[in-house]
Amino acid sequence: MAERVRRIAGVADVERVEPPDSSALLQLVARGDEQAFEKLYGIVSAPVFGLVRRIVRDPAQSEEVTQEVMLELWRTAARYAPERGSAMTWVMTLAHRRAVDRVRSAQSATDREDKAFRRETTRPFDEVAELVNTRLEHEQVRRCLASLTDLQRESVELAYYRGLTYREVSELLDTPLGTIKTRLRDGLIRMRDCLGVTR
């Protein structure tokens, strides 16, 4: 119950004023009573905004949603059934639904934009083209290996295709380690030049 101060003959008198009944106002709004709507707006707009703000978070969006709720309240007031609960509960339910709808809508828009971006930036994988490129690269490596001397090719194949260490290649070929390193270095330089690899 609110209080209103009256001044009668210079003496302050406190008068108790009953707040307007939201349920009765809502029923008047259902009949198109604009003054009742103004009063109802004054009662519910702040709590509606507070609820919407907690859900939506963004202040500007919260204001928009609050206005949408108030507009929906004006249009659908006839749907309010007092026997199902208080007017404030009904209004706050409308507000909650609208706020959740806005959050879902914003999330859906973000998801659509992300999906569209990924679709535009991700080139489709062409398995056949990839297979052809791999075969061409293998063929080029074989051709370049064939251009090496027998000693270079043998050292490169043992070290890089069979996975032996330089020392194991040296022992297997019964050749000094320094010679194996030189063969491998020279062979790799020729392979690099043949494959067109730049440093």
Side-chain angles (χ1 to χ4, degrees), residues 53-65:
R53 179 81 163 84
R54 282 193 300 275
I55 297 169
V56 176
R57 306 245 184 240
D58 179 74
Q61 296 251 349
S62 298
E63 287 176 11
E64 284 180 25
V65 173

Side-chain angles (χ1 to χ4, degrees), residues 23-39:
S23 180
L25 286 173
L26 200 49
Q27 290 171 350
L28 291 171
V29 170
R31 291 186 226 139
D33 188 328
E34 292 179 14
Q35 288 182 339
F37 182 71
E38 282 181 36
K39 289 178 184 173

Side-chain angles (χ1 to χ4, degrees), residues 19-22 25 37-48 88:
D21 178 21
S22 302
L25 286 173
F37 182 71
E38 282 181 36
K39 289 178 184 173
L40 187 63
Y41 188 98
I43 294 169
V44 301
S45 61
V48 165
M88 196 60 159

Side-chain angles (χ1 to χ4, degrees), residues 100-114:
V100 169
D101 286 349
R102 177 62 65 99
V103 170
R104 286 180 180 157
S105 175
Q107 185 60 51
S108 293
T110 301
D111 291 347
R112 277 193 305 275
E113 288 170 10
D114 287 348

Side-chain angles (χ1 to χ4, degrees), residues 59-72:
Q61 296 251 349
S62 298
E63 287 176 11
E64 284 180 25
V65 173
T66 299
Q67 290 306 314
E68 289 172 9
V69 170
M70 299 314 291
L71 195 60
E72 184 176 0

